[in-house]
Amino acid sequence: MDDQINNSETSYSSWDGILHKLVQKIVYEALVWSSLHGLVVGDKADQRSGEVPGVGLVHAPFALLPKSFPRTHWQQACELAPIFNELVDRVSLDGKFLQESLSRTKKVDTFTSRLLDIHSKMLEINKKEEIRLGLHRSDYMLDAQTKDLLQIELNTISSSFPGLSCLVGKLHKYLLDHYGNRLGLDSAQVPENTAVIQYAEALASAWKEFNDSRAVIMIVVQKDERNICDQVVAVVYFRAGYTPNDYPSESEWHARLLVEQSSAIKCPSISYHLAGTKKIQQELARANVLERQELYDFLDNSNVIDNAIERPDSYVLKPQREGGGNNIYGDDMKEVLLKWKRKGSDELSAYILMQRIFPAVSRSIMVRNGVVHQDNAISELGIYGAYLRNKEKVILNDHCGYLMRTKVSSSNEGGVAAGFAVLDSVYLT
């Protein structure tokens, strides 16, 4: 570990006036703290990781210092969470809207088609979800030009990192308690992050509403899951199921159908899952419900396609996928649009075209696998939300903690688990 840090020594000689020796000391303490407090994930380089408890663990990638964020925008994001929670619930109840909005996507996207088939079966048998649980996360960036808080997307399935994000906040508070005076930073400006506690309380409340002490609690995870230190439990909590890779055979699809047909509380239910798709968010934007999103329907906005071809760096092409690493940018996007435009392909219906957000760039120190790296970086704020309703009684509807992710500004993608970003926290200004 010491050798790796020493090898990076010269790159810190003039980082924003912080002496490289001080940075080295802070990094070392941060790595020790991470090991002692469980800020770790499975190491993909170790084949036994995730199979043998305590074997093959490495610290989660993190930013060394918290990211500055305006207090007013922070408060705005928190206040929006209950509104989006209720929006998801209302949209999920409109089965016709979900089916019609995704009908064109269904023709060209097998994964979405299979989800819609399950949803159709639930509509046919008039399946009612009296107890509805949603654990969501709405992601935002601060636009550098307008200084506005702009929404990127709303996640309704597998809203990851509520546990590790809390630990990063505690790590930053610890570091600022010890080095804040020398850095000119105050640990009191890092807001408390209670995401994991509030998520656990929401899940426990849902189990209580189920009102059967014999009921089992089940969590659905991906094969070879590395984020083994950040899992939570629910009646049926889908930590997986958001990508086609989670359904390698008909057995997995049959299992998903059985879960939907059961009386268990689903988080998310199939209707909540569909309500969180990018295509549905596009439809809601068209209806002026989410006015901050700038999303475009290909079949109704051919002039937007021409504009994206002319200015490919101003747009991003997104499929109906979650988990990072799926979007198409720049010249690659331009080639795809030109090809589909020439062919008149219906494949466009499986995507949405989104005007890109260009957030402010700042310097950041990032640590991954014990190696320190400094670079220009941008950040993305996610606000967690929890919603629980039993019939007409809303039991819980609130924001509950946050996730801050930071990545080098030259990177298009932003997933932590996918290797593009690091975990961070907020420093309110």
Side-chain angles (χ1 to χ4, degrees):
M1 182 183 298
D2 288 337
D3 289 339
Q4 290 176 313
I5 294 174
N6 288 335
N7 288 338
S8 301
E9 178 176 283
T10 56
S11 64
Y12 286 96
S13 58
S14 60
W15 189 88
D16 286 351
I18 301 177
L19 296 177
H20 65 271
K21 290 184 178 180
L22 175 60
V23 171
Q24 285 182 320
K25 187 174 182 180
I26 297 174
V27 169
Y28 183 82
E29 287 207 27
L31 292 174
V32 172
W33 191 98
S34 298
S35 299
L36 293 175
H37 293 83
L39 183 53
V40 294
V41 295
D43 185 358
K44 63 182 179 181
D46 192 322
Q47 294 183 350
R48 296 179 298 169
S49 177
E51 297 181 0
V52 181
V55 174
L57 298 176
V58 65
H59 74 88
F62 60 84
L64 189 62
L65 299 173
K67 183 64 61 175
S68 296
F69 200 86
R71 186 180 296 273
T72 54
H73 287 103
W74 161 262
Q75 293 172 340
Q76 180 187 14
C78 292
E79 291 169 359
L80 284 171
I83 299 173
F84 283 122
N85 289 341
E86 187 172 354
L87 176 63
V88 169
D89 187 58
R90 292 188 180 185
V91 170
S92 73
L93 294 172
D94 194 341
K96 181 180 179 181
F97 172 75
L98 292 174
Q99 289 286 330
E100 289 180 351
S101 298
L102 292 165
S103 60
R104 291 187 299 207
T105 304
K106 181 177 182 178
K107 297 177 181 178
V108 293
D109 188 329
T110 302
F111 179 61
T112 303
S113 177
R114 295 299 297 267
L115 295 175
L116 284 169
D117 287 344
I118 294 176
H119 182 250
S120 294
K121 289 183 172 66
M122 298 305 102
L123 294 177
E124 290 172 4
I125 64 175
N126 196 28
K127 182 70 168 61
K128 301 295 184 182
E129 298 291 335
E130 293 186 342
I131 305 176
R132 308 171 68 81
L133 173 64
L135 297 177
H136 310 139
R137 194 188 72 236
S138 188
D139 295 333
Y140 305 90
M141 280 184 170
L142 281 176
D143 183 64
Q145 183 175 2
T146 65
K147 309 302 181 184
D148 288 336
L149 182 72
L150 301 182
Q151 187 191 47
I152 299 170
E153 64 180 3
L154 177 63
N155 303 276
T156 62
I157 183 171
S158 187
S159 298
S160 58
F161 295 116
L164 293 182
S165 64
C166 295
L167 289 174
V168 172
K170 291 180 179 179
L171 167 64
H172 285 163
K173 278 182 171 291
Y174 168 83
L175 294 176
L176 296 190
D177 282 340
H178 288 76
Y179 300 100
N181 289 337
R182 300 177 68 179
L183 299 173
L185 298 173
D186 182 2
S187 65
Q189 299 306 110
V190 179
E192 293 293 333
N193 193 349
T194 58
V196 68
I197 295 175
Q198 290 182 266
Y199 260 27
E201 290 176 347
L203 294 165
S205 296
W207 180 86
K208 183 178 180 180
E209 291 297 318
F210 193 74
N211 197 29
D212 184 350
S213 61
R214 301 169 302 170
V216 296
I217 298 173
M218 182 173 71
I219 178 170
V220 181
V221 301
Q222 294 175 325
K223 182 182 179 182
D224 301 324
E225 173 65 65
R226 293 179 59 235
N227 190 8
I228 56 177
C229 302
D230 190 35
Q231 304 292 3
V232 291
V233 296
V235 176
V236 179
Y237 177 76
F238 285 95
R239 188 62 180 80
Y242 55 86
T243 169
N245 295 333
D246 294 336
Y247 303 86
S249 71
E250 286 300 313
S251 296
E252 287 77 18
W253 284 111
H254 181 63
R256 181 69 186 268
L257 176 59
L258 287 178
V259 169
E260 292 300 325
Q261 291 173 329
S262 74
S263 60
I265 303 170
K266 276 77 71 176
C267 184
S269 65
I270 190 67
S271 59
Y272 267 40
H273 188 167
L274 292 172
T277 59
K278 294 178 176 64
K279 203 69 176 179
I280 293 299
Q281 293 177 48
Q282 175 189 50
E283 293 300 314
L284 294 173
R286 197 213 308 265
N288 297 320
V289 178
L290 304 179
E291 296 178 349
R292 289 185 181 274
Q293 276 289 43
E294 292 185 88
L295 305 173
Y296 303 100
D297 189 325
F298 288 111
L299 300 185
D300 296 336
N301 293 279
S302 58
N303 60 318
V304 175
I305 299 178
D306 293 335
N307 194 20
I309 292 173
E310 293 176 5
R311 300 189 299 121
D313 291 335
S314 298
Y315 294 84
V316 54
L317 193 60
K318 293 187 174 184
Q320 309 304 307
R321 297 290 183 269
E322 304 296 337
N326 300 300
N327 300 334
I328 307 175
Y329 297 86
D331 290 337
D332 292 337
M333 181 196 70
K334 180 178 179 179
E335 291 181 11
V336 169
L337 292 178
L338 285 171
K339 181 180 70 174
W340 286 346
K341 186 177 180 181
R342 287 193 298 266
K343 293 171 56 179
S345 175
D346 289 337
E347 292 181 43
L348 291 171
S349 298
Y351 291 77
I352 62 169
L353 188 63
M354 182 176 179
Q355 190 169 342
R356 293 189 65 176
I357 299 170
F358 294 97
V361 177
S362 61
R363 298 294 284 177
S364 182
I365 302 176
M366 292 161 278
V367 187
R368 180 185 290 274
N369 293 327
V371 179
V372 186
H373 176 68
Q374 64 146 329
D375 210 327
N376 291 328
I378 57 177
S379 297
E380 179 178 333
L381 172 69
I383 297 294
Y384 294 108
Y387 184 89
L388 177 63
R389 177 164 65 82
N390 191 341
K391 297 181 180 178
E392 300 305 315
K393 180 182 179 182
V394 177
I395 299 164
L396 173 65
N397 182 16
D398 202 358
H399 68 85
C400 46
Y402 69 94
L403 168 68
M404 181 67 92
R405 289 170 291 183
T406 294
K407 64 178 182 178
V408 295
S409 58
S410 59
S411 172
N412 285 323
E413 295 292 348
V416 175
F420 301 107
V422 299
L423 295 169
D424 207 336
S425 72
V426 168
Y427 188 88
L428 296 178
T429 58

